[in-house]
Amino acid sequence: MRYVALLLMAALWAGPALAGDFTVTVRGADGKPVPDAVVMIYPNGQPTKGPIKFAWPYRVAQQNIQFNPFVLVVPVGADVAFPNLDKVRHHVYSFSAGNKFEIKLYGHEENRTAKMNTAGVAAIGCNIHDQMVGFIRVVDTQYAGKTDATGAVTIQDVPAGAVVAKVWHPYLRGLKNETALQTKSVGAGPAREQVTIDLRAPAGH
Amino acid sequence: MFQRLQTKLTVLYAGLFALALSVVAVAVYVAITSNAQRTVRQEMAGSGAVFDRVWALRTQRLHDGAELLSRDFGFRAAVATHDRPTVESAIANLRQRLGLDLAFTVGVDGEVVGLDPARLNLETLWSALDAEDGAQGVFTIDNKPYQLISAPILSPTLTGWIVFAARLDEPEMLALEKLSAIRLDAQVFDQRSGHWVSADRGPVDKPLAAFVGRAMHDKLLEPVLLRGGADSLVLVKPIKALDRGGGAALVLRYPMAQAMAPYRPLMAAVLIVGLLGATLVAAASWALSRGLAKPITALDIAARRLQRGEDVTVEVTTRDEIGRLAESFNLMAAEIREREAEMIRQALHDGETGLPNRRALERAIEKRLAAVGPGEQVIIAAIGFDRFTQVRAAIGYELATELVAKLGQRIFEIAPGVLVARMTTSIICVVSDSNNLDDLLKIVEEALPALEAPIELGGEPVDVHITQGLAATTLGELDAARLIERSLIALDQARAAHRKFMAFDAAAYGDPSANLSLMSEMLEAVRKGELYLNHQPKLDLRTGAITGVEALARWNHPTRGFIRPDLFVGMAEETGHIRALTDYVLAQAIEDQARLRAAGHDVLMSVNISGRLIDDHAFAQYAIAQVAAAGARLCFEITETAVIGNPDVALSVLDRLAEADIPVSIDDYGSGLSSLAYLKQIRADELKIDKAFVTSLEAGDKDALLVKSTIDLAHSLGMKVTAEGVETREGLAALQLMGCDLAQGYHVAKPMGLEKLIAFLGEWSIELPARDDARKTA
């Protein structure tokens, strides 16, 4: 049902607006590919109206005393699951404004969820294990994704026209750890951009 | 430098000791100083390490606190959610708990909680905190240095920093200082606007601040001795600073005076002991050298006294080398005294008789002279053995000497107060104890028989014949030598007068010193013409004519009047002026003869030639030349004794005169002990018979016989004969009868001047008695 509606919407919008894949490659100042960088594209600079759905699970597992994945991209309002795959217990929290939550000590195979209420960042940690740091990027656009190990991300079906594109990374030097992409508009068909960001060392560990 | 041995030794020893001590003191000082320095350096290095550790611990403590707080979930939650009151109360709580001076948070957005942001340079602090995870270091808050410790607040991302600050104030430093074993001064310096300052402890020590700057710049990590004011060892330890990066430094100081303090009593002890030791050594060496120098000084003084001829003995006080030296000195002095006494005895005594000698005599006279009062006389007698050589020849040398000694002894026995000295081999001199010559002469006369009593020699009595000459002098009149001389002259005078004793007769003696000046006056007289010739005519007994004259030198002295020819001629012979006199007489005779010729009288002129010139070839040559040059007719009269002295030369000179046709006449024949052998050898033309024979011609037959035989002998040798001293007509007649050729004497004529001679010759006529008699008889 939802799918039909989507299709319908796509048909509705696709008429005048042709769409294409937009691939962004992120490299560090040292030239190495940067994984876990989140690329967000706002067609016409507007957030996506209506519900947003990503193909990946909204899930941050605790595995080997680490958050997995390190960076998770979820839409606003998503319920993120925090399954504990470790044998120890964890106390996951986030003090991030708008996305504050706290999942007090819970054990193995236990699964808890937290709702991401605000677009922005939820830096998550474990009160027991200081080294456990993870980030949930709460976005308000359909066109978002994070770079893989090669530093590349392909955002599909970006409508042609004017866009505002940003790159976010938890350690990116810059206001709110964000930087804008150069691309101001995308045409029909695939588009590519490479961006170099300045990262700083993760603090405190 | 030092005249005295004692001073020299004392100064030397004390000086050496002082030097050694100074070296020791300096060595001790240097050792102590370097040791103290080393100790302090080690201590400082140790303290530095301790400070490092303490600093690290303190840092760690603060850090742990900060870390703890930064990890506190509630705190983090409060910070992350900007729950300011909660954060502030949490900070205050911890500050209290940890006793911190300041604690505050700095958000990544620059928000400060827990402290008024105006109190610090937020921008600088933020940069420092942001630049380094867990940054810590010195930071200035309110213009005062604080040690800042920060810890990041992670929730889980960095939301800010918790900062703890501890004052680096005096109590803090004192607390640090207390950790050190030695009392160090700790101070924190930090750099502000290019200068190193320490805000805490009093005013800034500028040299120290400069040094800190230098040390920081040069990264000096060792303690360094900082001089100036009070020396101190300074260790500068860099501390991390949060502001500007200029750095801060913990400066540890240790005053050397303090390091040296424990050694000060030791140094004082060394100094006091040294001074005491030096004083003791000086005193001891003074005493020692005194003991050493005293006998040497005594020896020195004694040696000087010995040199002056004093009788000295040094006291032998020790048995060491100096003692032995003193003994040797005493021995030497005694030997010198003995030798001197012996030498004096020898010097003052006659070796053969043991009687005092002439020197002793002179000393005795001088002593007497010094002792006599005014008007009193010192009288000595010269007692001479008569005919001593004969006596000695008869009894032998040894006994003759003994005879002299015994006579001396006898004189001493007769008059015990006198000094008897041997003057010559045969003369004894006696210094009388009488002061009056007239009294003494009487005494001498009385004592004469006792003196002349025979003396026993070798058991046999020997006759003693003595003559005495006495001389006296008052003080200031004569010296000892002249007095002795006078007594000897008196002895000669007594002998000449055939008297047993006689006092010196000044009138008879004349003045011998005047005789010497007579010679220079004579030469002067020759030049001035005060000397002239008198001529005594010679009568030819066959013809009655005056055929010759004898030239005789005469001298009329302008002040002394007529001077006897035998005096000045004899003096000229004795003093070597006879040649000059003879040359003059020769020249004058030639001149006079020329004048006689001019007056028409051709006479042979006889000139007396001294025996001293007859063996002189140079004179002979000169005389021959003179005679030849003037064409004079001269006869040289010589005495036969003159030939005896050097017969070979004299005879050859006579030969030369004969060759030059200068007749030679033998004068005074018969007065000497001439031998006929000589008469034979002498090539003479004339023989003059001495007047001693002629005057007594009529008295006895013996002389007449002698004269007759002499005339005959002369004639047989081819010589004419002249008789001298013819004073009577009878004598003249007798000579004429004996065949004598010529006569000379007062009966014929006295010697006369040239003018008178010319007149005399002009008037001359004589009736020769023998001729008369012959006529009568014929």
Side-chain angles (χ1 to χ4, degrees):
Chain A
M1 175 79 182
R2 190 177 278 179
Y3 182 65
V4 174
L6 259 172
L7 276 178
L8 209 139
M9 272 184 74
L12 244 160
W13 286 99
L18 294 166
D21 292 348
F22 187 68
T23 303
V24 176
T25 310
V26 181
R27 291 184 183 277
D30 53 3
K32 285 179 182 167
V34 177
D36 295 323
V38 179
V39 177
M40 294 161 287
I41 298 164
Y42 292 88
N44 295 317
Q46 297 298 312
T48 305
K49 290 180 175 119
I52 305 162
K53 177 73 183 155
F54 292 120
W56 51 78
Y58 302 162
R59 175 175 173 268
V60 177
Q62 290 102 70
Q63 198 169 6
N64 301 325
I65 328 281
Q66 290 291 338
F67 290 115
N68 187 21
F70 174 54
V71 173
L72 177 70
V73 182
V74 295
V76 178
D79 283 317
V80 179
F82 292 95
N84 184 353
L85 306 182
D86 284 325
K87 284 176 183 161
V88 298
R89 298 200 291 179
H90 294 289
H91 176 168
V92 181
Y93 68 90
S94 163
F95 297 133
S96 303
N99 294 314
K100 215 165 156 272
F101 69 89
E102 192 174 348
I103 306 168
K104 293 192 177 158
L105 285 171
Y106 69 104
H108 179 56
E109 295 293 330
E110 286 184 77
N111 198 355
R112 303 289 163 91
T113 56
K115 187 180 277 290
M116 297 298 123
N117 297 316
T118 316
V121 180
I124 54 173
C126 173
N127 194 26
I128 297 166
H129 306 102
D130 283 346
Q131 79 275 21
M132 290 172 68
V133 178
F135 295 91
I136 299 169
R137 178 69 208 195
V138 184
V139 299
D140 50 0
T141 177
Q142 176 66 45
Y143 310 102
K146 70 164 189 171
T147 55
D148 57 15
T150 64
V153 62
T154 303
I155 296 160
Q156 291 172 334
D157 301 327
V158 178
V163 292
V164 172
K166 293 176 198 168
V167 178
W168 175 93
H169 189 276
Y171 303 137
L172 190 145
R173 279 188 198 279
L175 193 66
K176 294 182 176 176
N177 306 111
E178 279 181 3
T179 185
L181 284 179
Q182 283 176 340
T183 306
K184 299 288 184 238
S185 65
V186 292
R192 252 176 202 284
E193 186 174 356
Q194 188 165 318
V195 64
T196 301
I197 58 170
D198 192 9
L199 294 181
R200 72 163 173 236
H205 305 282
Chain B
M1 192 157 88
F2 299 107
Q3 293 294 319
R4 293 180 61 197
L5 186 63
Q6 195 175 353
T7 320
K8 206 184 281 185
L9 284 173
T10 306
V11 169
L12 184 71
Y13 283 123
L16 274 176
F17 185 80
L19 190 71
L21 219 67
S22 303
V23 170
V24 168
V26 166
V28 165
Y29 181 78
V30 167
I32 284 174
T33 310
S34 67
N35 189 51
Q37 268 198 32
R38 197 170 56 245
T39 307
V40 171
R41 273 173 208 275
Q42 282 170 358
E43 194 59 56
M44 261 189 144
S47 297
V50 168
F51 285 146
D52 285 345
R53 184 80 194 118
V54 167
W55 191 265
L57 279 172
R58 175 191 154 106
T59 307
Q60 190 60 48
R61 186 172 62 90
L62 291 171
H63 189 263
D64 287 352
E67 193 89 326
L68 198 67
L69 186 62
S70 73
R71 297 292 167 93
D72 183 84
F73 187 71
F75 180 73
R76 280 195 289 183
V79 172
T81 55
H82 298 280
D83 185 355
R84 202 178 174 105
T86 309
V87 171
E88 274 177 356
S89 69
I91 288 172
N93 181 48
L94 196 71
R95 192 165 65 81
Q96 209 165 7
R97 203 197 298 165
L98 294 178
L100 297 165
D101 294 310
L102 294 171
F104 53 92
T105 59
V106 179
V108 285
D109 52 3
E111 192 189 7
V112 177
V113 180
L115 183 76
D116 178 6
R119 287 173 69 183
L120 46 81
N121 189 333
L122 185 60
E123 208 170 308
T124 310
L125 181 60
W126 194 93
S127 305
L129 295 173
D130 184 51
E132 192 188 350
D133 194 16
Q136 60 96 8
V138 176
F139 192 79
T140 312
I141 299 170
D142 296 338
N143 252 343
K144 288 183 178 65
Y146 282 79
Q147 184 188 7
L148 254 58
I149 303 290
S150 72
I153 305 166
L154 299 167
S155 52
T157 51
L158 183 71
T159 46
W161 300 274
I162 172 82
V163 179
F164 287 172
R167 284 253 0 234
L168 295 170
D169 56 4
E170 188 151 1
E172 202 66 33
M173 289 298 116
L174 288 175
L176 273 179
E177 286 164 8
K178 274 181 191 144
L179 288 168
S180 170
I182 52 174
R183 236 200 71 67
L184 294 172
D185 284 338
Q187 229 174 327
V188 169
F189 275 73
D190 61 310
Q191 207 180 22
R192 287 177 217 173
S193 54
H195 295 287
W196 285 89
V197 290
S198 169
D200 280 316
R201 312 184 95 181
V204 176
D205 182 352
K206 276 186 178 167
L208 181 62
F211 172 74
V212 170
R214 206 163 59 245
M216 287 298 285
H217 183 264
D218 298 343
K219 296 187 167 51
L220 286 176
L221 298 175
E222 290 292 312
V224 171
L225 187 66
L226 181 65
R227 297 192 181 276
D231 290 0
S232 51
L233 271 170
V234 181
L235 178 63
V236 178
K237 297 187 78 69
I239 316 172
K240 196 177 169 193
L242 283 178
D243 35 359
R244 287 177 290 275
L250 175 67
V251 177
L252 301 176
R253 254 186 321 149
Y254 190 75
M256 278 316 289
Q258 212 165 310
M260 293 303 290
Y263 298 108
R264 221 161 270 147
L266 178 64
M267 298 293 290
V270 166
L271 195 72
I272 288 165
V273 165
L275 282 174
L276 233 95
T279 315
L280 274 173
V281 165
S285 43
W286 177 258
L288 179 75
S289 54
R290 192 177 140 87
L292 204 64
K294 208 176 166 189
I296 292 174
T297 310
L299 272 172
D300 180 39
I301 293 165
R304 281 168 204 275
R305 285 180 58 197
L306 187 67
Q307 194 184 9
R308 286 197 296 270
E310 288 176 41
D311 188 5
V312 282
T313 313
V314 287
E315 195 186 345
V316 180
T317 49
T318 55
R319 299 190 57 78
D320 55 11
E321 289 88 338
I322 291 170
R324 288 205 292 280
L325 181 63
E327 276 172 17
S328 302
F329 178 85
N330 283 343
L331 264 172
M332 182 185 76
E335 278 172 20
I336 286 173
R337 274 199 299 280
E338 273 172 32
R339 229 170 287 159
E340 200 176 33
E342 175 60 20
M343 273 158 66
I344 289 169
R345 207 191 63 71
Q346 281 184 6
L348 296 177
H349 286 79
D350 174 50
E352 291 174 327
T353 59
L355 289 172
N357 63 6
R358 186 194 175 109
R359 191 173 297 145
L361 179 70
E362 284 182 359
R363 282 196 185 183
I365 293 167
E366 275 157 15
K367 220 167 141 190
R368 279 297 309 274
L369 272 172
V372 293
E376 288 183 338
Q377 289 177 308
V378 175
I379 308 159
I380 67 162
I383 302 172
F385 282 87
D386 296 336
R387 300 176 63 248
F388 186 75
T389 38
Q390 285 87 337
V391 174
R392 191 167 64 185
I395 65 174
Y397 193 95
E398 219 168 299
L399 285 176
T401 305
E402 200 182 326
L403 183 69
V404 175
K406 284 203 167 168
L407 180 67
Q409 221 170 331
R410 175 178 285 176
I411 295 165
F412 192 70
E413 279 161 11
I414 292 168
V418 302
L419 181 107
V420 183
R422 192 184 190 192
M423 197 60 226
T424 67
T425 42
S426 64
I427 299 171
I428 287 171
C429 265
V430 180
V431 182
S432 170
D433 51 359
S434 171
N435 293 331
N436 190 296
L437 186 60
D438 296 332
D439 292 352
L440 188 65
L441 285 169
K442 279 178 203 144
I443 294 166
V444 166
E445 193 169 14
E446 282 165 17
L448 210 55
L451 272 178
E452 288 210 307
I455 290 171
E456 286 232 338
L457 286 175
E460 297 293 326
V462 174
D463 282 349
V464 175
H465 298 286
I466 55 168
T467 306
Q468 297 185 55
L470 284 82
T473 182
T474 53
L475 180 62
E477 189 187 350
L478 294 174
D479 61 10
R482 297 295 296 276
L483 186 64
I484 294 166
E485 186 190 313
R486 286 231 171 144
S487 72
L488 295 174
I489 293 164
L491 179 61
D492 288 342
Q493 285 176 334
R495 278 176 174 160
H498 302 291
R499 286 167 62 179
K500 290 305 283 181
F501 63 92
M502 201 179 139
F504 175 73
D505 183 356
Y509 182 59
D511 186 5
S513 66
N515 294 338
L516 201 62
S517 64
L518 200 63
M519 283 304 97
S520 58
E521 288 175 29
M522 186 192 80
L523 296 176
E524 187 72 16
V526 166
R527 271 199 299 281
K528 286 183 179 171
E530 283 166 19
L531 233 62
Y532 60 94
L533 296 182
N534 267 0
H535 302 278
Q536 190 169 30
K538 285 163 93 175
L539 172 68
D540 189 323
L541 287 174
R542 298 182 201 287
T543 60
I546 300 295
T547 55
V549 292
E550 183 182 355
L552 296 162
R554 290 293 180 264
W555 182 9
N556 194 11
H557 192 278
T559 54
R560 292 166 69 159
F562 191 76
I563 294 171
R564 296 206 317 271
D566 58 339
L567 181 65
F568 75 83
V569 170
M571 199 72 67
E573 281 189 324
E574 294 307 316
T575 57
H577 292 93
I578 193 64
R579 173 72 195 263
L581 182 62
T582 308
D583 284 353
Y584 167 73
V585 169
L586 211 55
Q588 192 61 49
I590 290 167
E591 193 188 321
D592 284 4
Q593 192 181 40
R595 286 179 63 185
L596 281 173
R597 272 185 193 159
H601 305 292
D602 186 14
V603 290
L604 181 69
M605 192 163 281
S606 293
V607 177
N608 287 291
I609 302 299
S610 167
R612 309 234 173 208
L613 292 172
I614 207 65
D615 53 0
D616 185 343
H617 274 292
F619 169 73
Q621 196 175 342
Y622 171 77
I624 290 164
Q626 290 294 106
V627 171
R633 209 156 62 83
L634 296 185
C635 173
F636 284 4
E637 288 192 9
I638 61 164
T639 56
E640 55 184 323
T641 50
V643 181
I644 295 168
N646 196 351
D648 293 343
V649 180
L651 290 175
S652 80
V653 167
L654 291 182
D655 284 348
R656 286 184 64 181
L657 291 174
E659 280 163 24
D661 285 331
I662 296 171
V664 171
S665 174
I666 295 172
D667 205 3
D668 298 337
Y669 183 74
S671 66
L673 296 163
S674 56
S675 88
L676 289 170
Y678 271 124
L679 201 59
K680 193 181 78 183
Q681 283 178 34
I682 297 168
R683 281 178 62 178
D685 301 277
E686 186 188 45
L687 193 72
K688 294 184 80 175
I689 299 173
D690 193 76
K691 63 181 173 189
F693 295 101
V694 177
T695 25
S696 57
L697 202 58
E698 299 129 85
D701 298 334
K702 269 187 187 170
D703 277 349
L705 191 63
L706 265 173
V707 171
K708 174 69 176 122
S709 58
T710 303
I711 291 166
D712 291 345
L713 180 68
H715 283 165
S716 67
L717 287 169
M719 289 187 277
K720 288 190 282 183
V721 179
T722 300
E724 290 180 280
V726 180
E727 292 177 356
T728 58
R729 181 184 162 76
E730 287 73 27
L732 192 72
L735 287 166
Q736 203 180 9
L737 279 174
M738 287 176 197
C740 187
D741 303 286
L742 295 154
Q744 192 181 353
Y746 284 2
H747 184 66
V748 179
K750 287 186 175 178
M752 62 191 80
L754 187 65
E755 301 305 320
K756 262 187 154 178
L757 181 64
I758 291 168
F760 173 81
L761 288 175
E763 294 166 5
W764 173 256
S765 70
I766 191 168
E767 283 296 307
L768 286 171
R771 186 153 291 180
D772 294 350
D773 293 344
R775 252 180 235 150
K776 281 172 194 168
T777 48

